Amino acid sequence: AVSGWRFGYLYGPGELVGKLAILGNIYYVCTPTPMQQALARVLMADPEYYDRLRDDFARKRTMLNQALERCGFAVYPSRSSFYTWARIPERFGDASELNEVLIREAGVAAVPGSAFMDEPEQDLYMRWCFAREDAMLQAAVDRLMEALA
């Protein structure tokens, strides 16, 4: 599957949508062979593209992680492609509540840990995405730091 790509959405009677959703999930998880072959040609057209992409994401990860740490988050040391996992600052007790504050006061959002785990500490973590344009990411970092200063 191609991460983040969606070919369409479906609306209709539940009994029909449910059956078609199963088929849709197969295409999201198991991209058809002809599409994989076509995509492989496109993705290999520039042999240096992935080195640049890796370096770009590393720089963006560093930018976000440093800002989060300055705001009191404990960042999990990861080399993930475009996500950061962080424990919320100790002065906050719940990631969902903190997310609401960030949306309201900074126009910035993350995904509370409860979306990814079913553990007692799930409400102490957030997942952040840094796969955005530099200017947008920098603006988000600035607003985040201002809101949590």
Side-chain angles (χ1 to χ4, degrees), residues 17-28:
V17 170
K19 292 176 182 172
L20 291 172
I22 294 169
L23 179 62
N25 189 50
I26 291 170
Y27 281 106
Y28 289 147

Side-chain angles (χ1 to χ4, degrees), residues 101-124:
V101 169
L102 293 174
I103 291 169
R104 186 176 56 252
E105 296 183 15
V108 173
V111 182
S114 58
F116 304 102
M117 60 192 296
D118 186 21
E119 299 291 332
E121 65 271 8
Q122 69 188 19
D123 295 323
L124 299 176

Side-chain angles (χ1 to χ4, degrees), residues 59-60 63-64 67-68 70-71 102-103 105-109 128-130 132-148:
R59 181 181 47 74
K60 291 172 190 259
M63 178 195 310
L64 177 60
L68 289 172
R70 285 194 298 268
C71 291
L102 293 174
I103 291 169
E105 296 183 15
V108 173
W128 297 82
C129 179
F130 50 86
R132 295 307 312 233
E133 300 81 7
D134 288 346
M136 182 175 284
L137 183 59
Q138 185 61 59
V141 162
D142 293 343
R143 291 193 313 267
L144 170 70
M145 291 176 41
E146 183 178 329
L148 296 181

Side-chain angles (χ1 to χ4, degrees), residues 70-88:
R70 285 194 298 268
C71 291
F73 287 84
V75 177
Y76 177 78
S78 170
R79 294 186 327 185
S80 169
S81 294
F82 44 84
Y83 293 113
T84 284
W85 183 254
R87 185 180 175 100
I88 65 174

Side-chain angles (χ1 to χ4, degrees), residues 85-97:
W85 183 254
R87 185 180 175 100
I88 65 174
E90 290 185 16
R91 62 187 166 153
F92 298 98
D94 183 89
S96 294
E97 290 176 13

